């Protein structure tokens, strides 16, 4: 009697944080994981730039497996770098860093005085054009090879809206990345939506509740702890925004940390929920030492050299993580959730 060979390839879920142009780091992480080929992927949860990476990943994998996903990610980020009629990010005078061009800085200063409707009366959006050209949303809604969870924030209630694979559309993706001072509010089914970062960056709970794989990889773009306290008005305002975008994610991870501690110390027989908590494994890839040193304004830039620098960094960190922790997938967490989030 012959039996079908069991697929022993470890499966993992990905939680992809938002961070504008810094999302090119996540591109690099995904690119290396796909190239390595030793992992399968069940669910991807994304916010803002994390959403862009997740959707390009799913579309490319639908079209051509791992190689197709890598090609789709590269095509997307290249198109973003070439989508604006003028250069918005340039090397600094010493050539060591990238800074926003004077023209973009001027435009951003106007957002303090004018609404997106006033600044952009014709609702021109290069990102929309790129998404429509590159992503087959109709087919993706029916045949996505991974479970997609896209976060957006209801502008009137503050509630999180998670768009799942059958609901994915260009508007849902744009809503997840809608900064209200820069972009027009996205309306879906009569409800207004802003960037998902205000409510979840990213949402982790769908990966826990709606995916079978017990392993969740956090790909982070925002430092868990800053080295210095801000003092200038500009630095304080920037930090306020960063904390606002991070608070819900930290709160959600604290819940997971508390639950895992509770289950571990429980003397009672574990139910199905407790068993699920106990077998959940968390992993993390980040580059706090590098991305944490970049100015917040570079999140709004678009420059292929900058993207490639972050992509290379992402590939490097993913390679190092796989080398050290591949054997942990399916067996144990490679990070101490309580230590990081409590």
């Amino acid at each position: 009697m012959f039996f079908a060979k069991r697929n022993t390839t470890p499966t993992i879920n990905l939680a992809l944080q938002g961070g504008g142009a810094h999302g090119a780091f996540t591109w690099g992480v995904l690119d290396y994981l796909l190239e390595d080929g030793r992992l399968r992927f069940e669910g991807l949860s994304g916010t803002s730039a994390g959403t862009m990476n997740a959707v390009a990943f799913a579309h490319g994998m639908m079209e051509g497996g791992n190689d197709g996903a890598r090609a789709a990610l590269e095509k997307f980020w290249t198109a973003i770098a070439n989508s604006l009629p003028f250069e918005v990010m340039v090397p600094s005078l010493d050539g060591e860093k990238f800074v926003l061009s004077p023209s973009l800085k001027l435009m951003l200063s106007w957002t303090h005085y004018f609404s997106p409707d006033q600044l952009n009366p014709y609702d021109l959006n290069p990102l929309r054009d790129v998404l429509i050209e590159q992503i087959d949303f109709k087919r993706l809604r029916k045949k996505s090879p991974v479970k997609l969870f896209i976060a957006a924030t209801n502008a009137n209630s503050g509630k999180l809206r998670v768009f799942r694979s059958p609901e994915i559309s260009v508007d849902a993706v744009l809503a997840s990345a809608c900064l209200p001072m820069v972009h027009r509010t996205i309306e879906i089914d009569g409800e207004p939506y802003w960037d998902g970062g205000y409510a979840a960056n990213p949402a982790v709970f769908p990966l826990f509740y709606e995916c079978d794989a017990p392993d969740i990889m956090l790909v982070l773009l925002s430092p868990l702890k800053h080295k210095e306290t801000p003092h200038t008005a500009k630095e304080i305002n920037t930090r306020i925004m960063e904390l606002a975008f991070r608070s819900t994610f930290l709160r959600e991870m604290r819940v997971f940390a508390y639950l895992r501690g509770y289950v571990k110390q429980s003397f009672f027989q574990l139910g199905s929920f407790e068993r699920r908590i106990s077998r959940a494994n968390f992993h993390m890839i980040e580059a706090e030492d590098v991305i944490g040193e970049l100015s917040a304004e570079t999140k709004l830039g678009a420059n292929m050299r900058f993207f490639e620098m972050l992509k290379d960094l992402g590939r490097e960190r993913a390679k190092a993580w796989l080398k050290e922790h591949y054997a942990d997938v399916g067996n144990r967490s490679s990070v101490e959730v309580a230590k990081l989030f409590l």
Side-chain angles (χ1 to χ4, degrees):
M1 181 178 295
F2 295 93
F3 296 92
K5 185 178 180 180
R6 181 183 177 187
N7 191 333
T8 58
T9 304
T11 302
I12 200 167
N13 301 302
L14 301 173
L16 310 180
Q17 204 168 58
H22 296 180
F25 170 80
T26 304
W27 167 26
V29 170
L30 298 177
D31 186 71
Y32 191 84
L33 295 179
L34 289 162
E35 180 185 287
D36 181 82
R38 286 182 290 167
L39 294 175
R40 298 173 63 212
F41 308 94
E42 182 181 3
L44 275 71
S45 178
T47 296
S48 194
T51 289
M52 306 304 157
N53 280 312
V55 170
F57 179 107
H59 171 83
M61 184 163 282
M62 177 180 66
E63 296 289 331
N66 282 21
D67 289 341
R70 294 182 67 201
L73 285 162
E74 181 170 8
K75 184 179 180 181
F76 173 80
W77 284 98
T78 301
I80 293 301
N82 298 328
S83 63
L84 297 178
F86 55 90
E87 196 166 26
V88 300
M89 183 179 284
V90 296
S92 61
L93 293 177
D94 60 11
E96 294 292 324
K97 299 179 180 179
F98 286 86
V99 295
L100 295 190
S101 66
S103 55
L104 182 58
K105 285 186 176 182
L106 177 61
M107 290 179 61
L108 291 175
S109 70
W110 293 343
T111 63
H112 296 290
Y113 308 101
F114 301 99
S115 71
D117 288 351
Q118 294 171 313
L119 288 173
N120 188 6
Y122 296 104
D123 195 21
L124 302 176
N125 191 333
L127 178 57
R128 178 186 290 274
D129 297 336
V130 170
L131 290 168
I132 290 175
E133 178 184 352
Q134 296 192 6
I135 308 298
D136 186 344
F137 285 99
K138 182 177 181 181
R139 187 169 175 228
L140 193 60
R141 284 192 290 271
K142 296 179 179 179
K143 297 184 178 182
S144 176
V146 293
K147 299 173 183 176
L148 291 172
F149 306 99
I150 303 307
T153 305
N154 188 299
N156 288 343
S157 68
K159 291 182 178 179
L160 170 66
R161 169 71 186 273
V162 176
F163 295 92
R164 290 162 173 80
S165 299
E167 305 169 295
I168 297 299
S169 66
V170 65
D171 282 338
V173 173
L174 290 173
S176 184
C178 178
L179 294 173
M181 297 299 292
V182 179
H183 305 114
R184 288 190 179 190
T185 299
I186 304 296
E187 189 169 300
I188 301 174
D189 297 330
E191 294 290 339
Y193 292 99
W194 288 348
D195 195 294
Y198 295 110
N201 191 21
V204 180
F205 70 89
L207 301 175
F208 174 78
Y209 284 108
E210 300 181 39
C211 294
D212 295 324
D215 291 76
I216 298 175
M217 167 73 78
L218 309 172
V219 183
L220 305 187
L221 302 179
S222 180
L224 291 177
K225 185 176 182 179
H226 292 275
K227 295 179 180 179
E228 298 179 356
T229 304
H231 295 288
T232 68
K234 181 180 179 181
E235 291 171 345
I236 291 170
N237 286 328
T238 297
R239 183 63 56 80
I240 289 172
M241 180 63 72
E242 290 176 345
L243 294 178
F245 270 63
R246 198 164 65 215
S247 61
T248 51
F249 167 71
L250 293 177
R251 189 177 303 117
E252 185 176 6
M253 291 308 300
R254 283 175 67 89
V255 171
F256 278 113
Y258 275 124
L259 287 174
R260 288 167 64 84
Y262 172 79
V263 169
K264 187 176 181 179
Q265 298 174 12
S266 177
F267 294 101
F268 301 101
Q269 183 177 358
L270 300 182
S272 59
F273 177 78
E274 289 83 359
R275 289 195 298 272
R276 192 174 184 86
I277 281 286
S278 65
R279 74 185 187 95
N281 300 317
F282 288 93
H283 313 280
M284 184 173 70
I285 295 178
E286 50 83 32
E288 182 175 300
D289 55 319
V290 178
I291 294 181
E293 296 299 317
L294 298 175
S295 65
E297 66 180 16
T298 59
K299 295 178 182 180
L300 301 174
N303 177 288
M304 198 60 201
R305 284 175 56 197
F306 182 65
F307 290 165
E308 288 175 344
M309 179 195 78
L310 290 174
K311 177 194 176 186
D312 290 343
L313 178 64
R315 283 179 55 84
E316 173 191 306
R317 296 299 166 93
K319 181 179 181 180
W321 185 88
L322 279 171
K323 182 178 181 180
E324 185 173 356
H325 296 295
Y326 173 75
D328 293 334
V329 181
N331 296 306
R332 65 189 71 85
S333 293
S334 59
V335 294
E336 296 183 38
V337 177
K339 183 176 180 180
L340 287 174
F341 299 105
L342 289 183

